[in-house]
Amino acid sequence: MVNSGEKELMRAEPAAPSPRKTAHRPRNPERTKRDILVAARAEFCDYGLDGARVDRIAERAAANKRLLYHYFGNKEALYSAVLLEAYREIRAGEQKLALEALEPEDAMRELVRFTFDHFRKNPWFVRLLSTENMLHAEYLKRIPEIPKLHSPIVEQLGEVLAAGQREGVFRKGVDPVQLYISIASLSYFYFSNLNTLSVIFKVPLKSRKQMTARRDHAEDVVLGYLRA
């Protein structure tokens, strides 16, 4: 069921130029918001925050532009919503790994694999992070949920490290935050520089064979560092 606010906004906005995209759209607020977020993510990744256009986002989402403003307020608020959703997605995936239930070495391998595969399956994530870093994390700082999203993975890593130390397989004195940054960087740098590195070293880094080799290498690097 569509809420009264969405009905009113849809009546107030003229029909979009492409009726085949919008005429039969289900009136579902949650679906509409999700489609807008996905469309906005693509727009921000392609054009950055300054270059992104609300008209194009609405067109990509096959949604009424007034609904975009109704749900998200303005372009900057929509960008912040896209950032938050991106971090929620990767944190949710990490939580599903249930690292604390695995043997320490297995847990670390699972985290490295997941992180690598997340970047591989979601190339937009690399571009979005690059955009926000160029903005000096200006918008990320304003999202109150961000610290709470990151604390669970740090706690999980701390527990895995402690378990590995008790079993005598991991060395002592490893900072879980530094470790997480290292795990992420082993994947992030690879995918953020995939095209240039392929040219420089004349290696088809986009191939399945090369990606598998890189993921295996990342696992070995992390476990080699951690072993007692």
Side-chain angles (χ1 to χ4, degrees), residues 111-123:
L111 181 59
V112 173
R113 291 170 186 166
F114 168 81
T115 304
F116 186 91
D117 288 342
H118 187 80
F119 281 113
R120 176 179 60 82
K121 295 174 184 176
N122 303 285

Side-chain angles (χ1 to χ4, degrees), residues 158-172:
E159 292 172 4
V160 172
L161 288 170
Q165 290 164 10
R166 288 194 299 270
E167 294 178 18
V169 294
F170 288 166
R171 67 189 187 87
K172 297 180 180 180

Side-chain angles (χ1 to χ4, degrees), residues 17-152:
S18 178
R20 284 184 297 178
K21 287 185 179 180
T22 59
H24 302 294
R25 181 184 181 85
R27 295 184 176 183
N28 184 322
E30 291 306 315
R31 172 66 182 273
T32 300
K33 285 188 280 188
R34 180 63 190 167
D35 288 349
I36 291 171
L37 279 174
V38 171
R41 185 178 72 195
E43 180 75 7
F44 291 130
C45 288
D46 287 346
Y47 299 99
L49 178 58
D50 289 340
R53 295 291 176 265
V54 171
D55 286 342
R56 283 198 299 257
I57 294 172
E59 184 178 354
R60 284 177 187 253
N64 188 296
K65 189 169 71 172
R66 288 181 181 269
L67 289 176
L68 187 151
Y69 288 118
H70 173 64
Y71 290 133
F72 298 100
N74 55 35
K75 185 174 75 169
E76 288 72 21
L78 178 55
Y79 173 75
S80 294
V82 168
L83 272 179
L84 177 57
E85 184 66 16
Y87 279 104
R88 279 176 174 165
E89 189 173 317
I90 190 170
R91 296 290 89 88
E94 290 165 349
Q95 288 296 305
K96 288 180 181 178
L97 297 176
L99 299 177
E100 65 281 357
L102 302 174
E103 290 298 314
E105 289 199 3
D106 292 338
M108 287 301 172
R109 287 193 182 278
E110 282 299 308
L111 181 59
V112 173
R113 291 170 186 166
F114 168 81
T115 304
F116 186 91
D117 288 342
H118 187 80
F119 281 113
R120 176 179 60 82
K121 295 174 184 176
N122 303 285
W124 57 265
F125 190 46
V126 173
R127 298 197 296 273
L128 189 64
L129 292 180
S130 297
T131 294
E132 182 61 7
N133 274 289
M134 286 190 289
L135 294 170
H136 305 287
E138 177 182 347
Y139 290 86
L140 199 64
K141 295 173 189 174
R142 304 175 191 172
I143 303 175
E145 295 94 335
I146 290 298
K148 293 181 180 179
L149 281 175
H150 286 71
S151 58

